[in-house]
Amino acid sequence: MFASTVRSMTPASHSVLTSEGIAALLEGLRRRGYRLLGPTVHDSAIVYDDIASLADLPRGWTDEQGGGRYRLVRRDDDALFGYAVGPHSWKKFLHRPSELLWRAEQTADGMRINPEPGAAEKLAFFGIRSCELHALAIQDRVLLGGAYADPHYRTRREGLFLVAVNCGQAGGTCFCASMDTGPKATAGFDLALTEIISGGEHRFVVEAGSGAGRALLDEMPRRNAAPEDIAAAAAVVAKTAAEMGRTMPAAAEVPGLLRRNLDHPRWDEVAARCLTCGNCTMVCPTCFCTTVEDIAALDGTSSERVRHWDSCFTTEFSYLHGGSVRASARSRYRQWMTHKLSTWWDQFGTSGCVGCGRCITWCPVGIDITEEVAAIRAADAGRQTGE
Ligand code: SF4
Ligand code: SF4
């Protein structure tokens, strides 16, 4: 349905652009009628927002991340993409935090219901990372893959143009390499860039992943990539993968591990630290749960139904006629983590985690999903061997 071509790294399929070429790329997308969205610096973080030109990108900035810690610092070069992912994910543009589902009005002929969505808008995501492309594919499966596709999501998703960036440095909490979701974009993009700064030269190796990407690239001032360019781009990605400090065990192992450890004492230990604030679900690029709110005009002439992001960390989320099914922090944390890493496979055939690390960085008490799995796994391994 959407661009999803896997390509090998050969010089013939790659071009080289300078920063001026990247500026021309943005201009080319604008001429084609796309609303340009990309990374910007706002409130001391790198967040996704509207961009007009290269000047809006976080040139010369990087981030330092750890459990419950994030800050921006200056780089000693002019890199445009010299940071990892921030608190925002692209899902806010496709699966919005608040969405008007329909509006009902009293008319002379009775009640009239006006369903949303409105007109389609052509969006271009500029700077989407490999883990985020995987998150997008997961949201496609969740929101479009079942019997009832979400028309609001589909309206925006269908016109989407994706310019990916292969990561030039690992964030302090990333673990995409062990999830097989990065740091190089291998599918699902229109164009993919690798930024290279060396020997006083600033260039971008660009790969086209779709016909639309190829057509745009062909209009840009560029040259064909030489074998040295391809080797330099591969080295950037290899360095990033090697920098990653966290790992998740193999996907074949984790679902069963969690299924047989639902009463593990580690759930009590993590619950004693968890504030049940829901930050991890808000920053996660794959979490999709929502609630609806009906807002009626006081004079009774109209009513609206609005959908909002919700979180499995609230007691209201599982409230059923007189009580919450998951009343304890232990049950809510366990629900979140076992859904992400275990039952998501049963529902959607993939993991619900892409290893972006946001839930670790933005957890106020630094709870780390990789550490929690490791703790359960260590004790599980001990029980299996009778230690
Ligand atoms: S669970 Fe955490 S690491 Fe995994 S995709 Fe969500 S925010 Fe990223
Ligand atoms: S794990 Fe961290 S971010 Fe998630 S609900 Fe608990 S305290 Fe909040």
Side-chain angles (χ1 to χ4, degrees):
M1 177 165 39
F2 305 116
S4 60
T5 313
V6 179
R7 283 161 188 272
S8 61
M9 260 201 165
T10 59
S13 62
H14 291 66
S15 301
V16 175
L17 265 59
T18 60
S19 295
E20 290 70 36
I22 299 295
L25 204 63
L26 284 170
E27 187 48 38
L29 283 166
R30 215 150 58 85
R31 269 200 315 274
R32 283 166 158 78
Y34 286 99
R35 177 183 165 197
L36 294 177
L37 299 161
T40 65
V41 175
H42 193 69
D43 286 342
S44 303
I46 288 170
V47 299
Y48 300 138
D49 207 343
D50 285 279
I51 54 171
S53 71
L54 215 58
D56 293 324
L57 299 181
R59 184 191 288 268
W61 286 103
T62 190
D63 53 23
E64 290 180 357
Q65 302 194 37
R69 193 170 58 82
Y70 178 97
R71 71 177 181 137
L72 291 186
V73 290
R74 275 287 177 194
R75 295 174 60 94
D76 57 8
D77 60 26
D78 275 345
L80 295 175
F81 302 102
Y83 41 84
V85 295
H88 287 193
S89 70
W90 300 96
K91 80 175 179 187
K92 70 175 185 166
F93 299 112
L94 301 177
H95 179 54
R96 290 178 172 167
S98 287
E99 182 97 70
L100 176 63
L101 297 180
W102 51 258
R103 178 182 284 119
E105 285 166 352
Q106 284 285 8
T107 69
D109 303 325
M111 182 71 79
R112 191 178 64 218
I113 295 182
N114 305 312
E116 296 290 322
E121 187 178 29
K122 284 172 66 175
L123 304 178
F125 290 176
F126 195 81
I128 186 168
R129 305 305 176 107
S130 177
C131 64
E132 299 178 312
L133 285 170
H134 282 265
L136 186 60
I138 289 172
Q139 291 236 312
D140 286 350
R141 220 162 296 138
V142 172
L143 297 166
L144 301 178
Y148 302 100
D150 181 336
H152 305 82
Y153 182 91
R154 183 169 51 208
T155 298
R156 299 180 198 113
R157 177 66 176 97
E158 277 173 350
L160 195 57
F161 192 96
L162 293 164
V163 180
V165 169
N166 295 321
C167 292
Q169 71 173 59
T173 55
C174 299
F175 53 99
C176 66
S178 64
M179 299 296 290
D180 211 15
T181 54
K184 181 184 177 342
T186 55
F189 56 82
D190 294 292
L191 292 172
L193 320 176
T194 308
E195 183 171 35
I196 301 167
I197 301 179
S198 70
E201 199 194 351
H202 191 177
R203 66 195 197 276
F204 299 82
V205 174
V206 187
E207 178 185 10
S210 71
R214 181 83 257 164
L216 180 62
L217 192 56
D218 284 346
E219 293 172 15
M220 299 301 120
R222 66 187 175 88
R223 64 171 170 83
N224 287 337
E228 302 76 60
D229 299 312
I230 300 296
V236 165
V237 174
K239 176 186 94 45
T240 303
E243 280 171 3
M244 246 165 255
R246 287 172 170 76
T247 57
M248 183 67 82
E253 180 190 341
V254 178
L257 171 75
L258 296 182
R259 255 199 315 274
R260 64 177 177 270
N261 282 291
L262 294 177
D263 294 318
H264 196 285
R266 184 71 184 190
W267 300 117
D268 290 315
E269 202 276 335
V270 68
R273 289 178 286 137
C274 177
L275 309 174
T276 67
C277 65
N279 263 19
C280 47
T281 55
M282 294 296 112
V283 296
C284 181
T286 68
C287 278
F288 59 87
C289 288
T290 54
T291 187
V292 290
E293 179 185 22
D294 288 329
I295 305 163
L298 286 176
D299 64 3
T301 57
S302 67
S303 179
E304 288 179 351
R305 174 160 289 187
V306 182
R307 183 173 69 189
H308 303 289
W309 286 356
D310 203 352
S311 171
C312 53
F313 277 95
T314 69
T315 46
E316 293 81 11
F317 187 78
S318 64
Y319 187 92
L320 290 177
H321 52 78
S324 180
V325 172
R326 291 187 282 272
S328 66
R330 174 185 191 270
S331 61
R332 297 206 286 284
Y333 186 86
R334 185 180 63 181
Q335 155 64 25
W336 176 74
M337 198 171 106
T338 56
H339 188 210
K340 283 277 158 212
L341 300 174
S342 177
T343 49
W344 203 293
W345 282 98
D346 305 330
Q347 258 184 303
F348 304 114
T350 68
S351 171
C353 175
V354 296
C356 72
R358 286 181 177 90
C359 58
I360 305 170
T361 299
W362 297 95
C363 173
V365 291
I367 291 173
D368 178 341
I369 189 170
T370 64
E371 200 179 299
E372 296 312 309
V373 169
I376 290 174
R377 187 171 182 241
D380 181 73
R383 274 209 302 278
Q384 300 281 305
T385 57
E387 287 168 16

